[in-house]
């Protein structure tokens, strides 16, 4: 009982100052906000409006009394109401920043689901907590790296113009037919599915070339519109959008560590694994506070500094070290986090490619202004199952069983029950 009281005291010593600081931050942002009763309460100079609910929450936590939930609900109501009133100033810019970091946001969400609902029993084993901590730090570093490289850096547009577009389209279409035929006859037949998808894109591009010869003005206008959309997407955000990008990136970067800490909270009240859980919680708390301070310090400049090679080298070194450390432990859960991190980096590079490289004419014919890399990958995987016309369902079911088996290993499910 005394040990649980000590753990509760440590938790309160961590979140009470954070809540106080969050209220102070909200006061500075609400000075020019729309009027509201809760806004007036937020701007009061007296410390009692913020001290009372935080104190009630802390005392209710120590006493195990549900009254603390009322104070928590009040604090959440203040935050939600403020965000709703200032949605034109805050929410839209932050949603835009989240859209620019959509790949990393999706990866962080998947990592959080894996950590919270995955094989949590393996977290009790020796070395897994340290491996998960290293993987979470590497995940946060990758988010910050992508934010600097993809969003805060203005990338020039590439121009690929051919003097004989119809000849190039015919050559690419012939290559797709050749690869598809070789894959169908000699295998693997998955190549035929990929060749079909890419061949259809090339064929539509050939249709675009024919239409361009007949109506050059309309085709040039559509090309110009697509180039402008990509150029706006690849530009560095303006001064009003940059703080929102920094906040979203900082939040995404610390989310894996926060999620890992939440996963270890129930173990802190377990007598056998309390010491291991407290070690991981201390590491996560220190890493979150120091990392957030470091990111805030690095984002105070009026404009983004050039993307130096040493920053990329540092991220590569951290990612490689995390892969080696996690691989040495040999557990599935941290390996899944590192795999998702590398997948996020690759897809982010694909996003940069789509925003700087002209879209193929076949996709432009369908109305795309950027190359949908993720959609093309999904279509290639689906079409590869159709490359077995008599056993398509069996091929898909086999692939699905492999996916379920790997997911069940990570999520601690019973493969036989699936």
């Amino acid at each position: 009982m005394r040990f649980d009281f000590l753990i509760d005291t440590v938790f309160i010593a961590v979140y009470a100052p954070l809540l106080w600081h969050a209220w102070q931050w909200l006061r500075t942002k609400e000075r020019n906000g729309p009027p509201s009763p809760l806004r007036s309460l937020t701007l009061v100079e007296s410390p009692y409006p913020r001290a009372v609910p935080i104190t009630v929450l802390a005392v209710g936590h120590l006493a195990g009394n549900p009254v603390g939930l009322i104070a928590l609900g009040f604090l959440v109501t203040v935050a939600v109401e403020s965000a709703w009133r200032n949605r034109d100033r805050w929410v839209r810019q932050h949603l835009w920043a989240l859209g620019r970091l959509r790949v990393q946001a999706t990866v962080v969400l998947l990592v959080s689901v894996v950590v919270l609902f995955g094989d949590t029993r393996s977290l009790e084993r020796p070395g897994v907590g340290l491996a998960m901590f290293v993987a979470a730090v590497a995940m946060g570093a990758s988010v910050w790296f992508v934010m600097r490289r993809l969003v805060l850096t203005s990338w020039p547009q590439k121009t690929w113009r051919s003097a004989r577009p119809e000849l190039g389209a015919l050559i690419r279409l012939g290559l797709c037919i050749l690869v598809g035929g070789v894959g169908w006859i000699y295998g693997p037949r998955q190549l035929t599915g990929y060749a079909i998808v890419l061949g259809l894109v090339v064929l539509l591009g050939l249709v675009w070339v024919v239409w361009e010869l007949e109506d050059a003005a309309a085709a040039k206008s559509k090309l110009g519109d697509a180039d402008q959309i990509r150029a706006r997407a690849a530009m560095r955000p303006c001064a009003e959008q940059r703080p929102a990008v920094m906040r979203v990136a900082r939040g995404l970067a610390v989310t894996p560590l926060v999620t890992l800490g939440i996963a270890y909270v129930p173990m802190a009240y377990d007598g056998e694994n309390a010491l291991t859980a407290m070690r991981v919680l201390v590491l996560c708390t220190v890493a979150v506070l120091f990392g957030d301070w470091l990111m805030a310090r690095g984002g105070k400049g009026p404009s983004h500094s050039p993307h130096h090679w040493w920053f990329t080298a540092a991220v590569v070194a951290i990612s490689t070290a995390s892969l080696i450390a996690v691989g040495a432990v040999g557990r599935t859960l941290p390996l899944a986090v590192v795999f998702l991190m590398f997948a996020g980096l690759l897809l982010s590079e694909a996003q940069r490619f789509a925003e700087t490289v002209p879209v193929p004419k076949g996709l432009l014919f369908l109305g795309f202004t950027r190359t949908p890399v993720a959609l093309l990958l999904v279509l290639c995987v689906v079409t590869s199952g159709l490359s077995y016309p008599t056993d398509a369902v069996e091929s898909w079911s086999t692939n699905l069983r492999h996916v379920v088996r790997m997911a069940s290993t990570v999520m601690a499910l019973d493969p036989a029950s699936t």
Side-chain angles (χ1 to χ4, degrees):
M1 185 67 179
R2 293 180 179 178
F3 191 75
D4 292 348
F5 180 81
L6 178 61
I7 294 176
D8 290 338
T9 304
V10 173
F11 286 155
I12 291 172
V14 172
Y15 70 69
L18 292 177
L19 290 175
W20 185 276
H21 179 72
W23 190 294
Q24 292 290 91
W25 177 84
L26 188 61
R27 287 188 64 205
T28 60
K29 299 299 180 183
E30 279 283 17
R31 298 191 185 279
N32 299 322
S36 169
L38 287 180
R39 174 181 176 271
S40 302
L41 183 64
T42 305
L43 295 177
V44 171
E45 294 293 336
S46 174
Y48 292 107
R50 52 188 178 275
V52 170
I54 296 176
T55 304
V56 172
L57 177 61
V59 173
H61 186 181
L62 284 176
N65 195 309
V67 176
L69 296 177
I70 299 177
L72 181 62
F74 170 75
L75 295 174
V76 173
T77 302
V78 171
V80 172
E81 192 269 345
S82 178
W84 176 255
R85 279 189 297 103
N86 296 275
R87 59 187 179 275
D88 292 334
R89 296 194 302 152
W90 297 350
V91 178
R92 291 182 181 178
Q93 292 183 359
H94 288 79
L95 286 178
W96 176 86
L98 191 63
R100 293 289 287 125
L101 293 168
R102 55 189 177 272
V103 173
Q104 294 300 311
T106 304
V107 172
V108 168
L109 178 62
L110 291 175
V111 168
S112 301
V113 171
V114 167
V115 172
L116 290 177
F117 304 103
D119 187 10
T120 55
R121 290 174 296 179
S122 66
L123 298 176
E124 304 173 0
R125 299 170 185 171
V128 176
L130 180 59
M132 286 297 299
F133 173 76
V134 172
V137 170
M139 182 72 226
S142 70
V143 172
W144 191 252
F145 167 77
V146 169
M147 184 273 297
R148 287 175 58 96
R149 179 174 171 81
L150 177 66
V151 183
L152 293 187
T153 302
S154 182
W155 293 94
Q157 293 291 310
K158 297 179 175 62
T159 56
W160 291 350
R161 305 301 183 194
S162 175
R164 298 287 302 275
E166 67 281 358
L167 180 60
L170 289 173
I171 293 174
R172 289 190 290 271
L173 183 61
L175 287 176
C176 290
I177 294 174
L178 177 63
V179 171
V182 170
W184 184 265
I185 298 173
Y186 299 102
R189 288 194 173 182
Q190 283 83 354
L191 288 176
T192 304
Y194 305 150
I196 290 174
V197 174
L198 299 179
L200 286 176
V201 173
V202 174
L203 182 61
L204 291 175
L206 190 58
V207 175
W208 170 278
V209 170
V210 175
W211 174 65
E212 188 177 20
L213 294 175
E214 296 179 356
D215 195 351
K220 186 177 180 180
S221 175
K222 200 168 184 178
L223 279 172
D225 294 340
D227 292 340
Q228 290 180 2
I229 292 175
R230 285 196 312 277
R232 286 197 301 267
M235 286 179 60
R236 187 183 304 171
C238 61
E240 292 78 12
Q241 295 171 330
R242 188 172 184 273
V245 173
M246 303 294 290
R247 293 192 196 102
V248 171
R250 287 163 58 186
L252 291 176
V254 301
T255 297
L257 287 168
V258 173
T259 305
L260 181 62
I262 293 173
Y264 270 95
V265 166
M267 271 187 269
Y269 295 94
D270 187 1
E272 297 179 359
N273 304 301
L275 185 59
T276 301
M278 291 304 296
R279 288 173 179 171
V280 176
L281 287 172
V282 169
L283 286 175
C284 290
T285 303
V286 173
V288 167
L289 295 178
F290 177 74
D292 186 71
W293 173 82
L294 193 63
M295 289 184 290
R297 181 181 177 86
K300 285 184 177 180
S303 61
H304 172 57
S305 58
H307 189 84
H308 299 289
W309 66 268
W310 53 263
F311 191 82
T312 303
V315 172
V316 171
I318 292 175
S319 303
T320 305
S322 67
L323 182 61
I324 294 173
V326 170
V329 176
R331 299 299 179 185
T332 307
L333 191 59
L335 281 175
V337 175
V338 174
F339 172 78
L340 289 173
M341 178 197 70
F342 278 106
L345 289 174
L346 292 176
L347 289 176
S348 297
E349 285 300 308
Q351 180 182 348
R352 185 181 68 86
F353 172 85
E355 292 173 353
T356 56
V357 176
V359 63
K361 300 292 182 62
L363 297 174
L364 189 62
F365 181 79
L366 295 176
F368 291 98
T369 58
R370 285 171 282 186
T371 305
V373 179
L375 178 61
L376 290 177
L377 290 176
V378 171
L379 289 177
C380 287
V381 171
V382 172
T383 312
S384 65
L386 288 174
S387 59
Y388 297 92
T390 57
D391 300 323
V393 176
E394 181 180 354
S395 174
W396 280 334
S397 63
T398 303
N399 294 332
L400 182 61
R401 283 197 296 271
H402 287 301
V403 173
V404 170
R405 188 175 293 110
M406 289 187 294
S408 63
T409 305
V410 176
M411 305 298 287
L413 298 175
D414 183 10
S417 63
T418 58

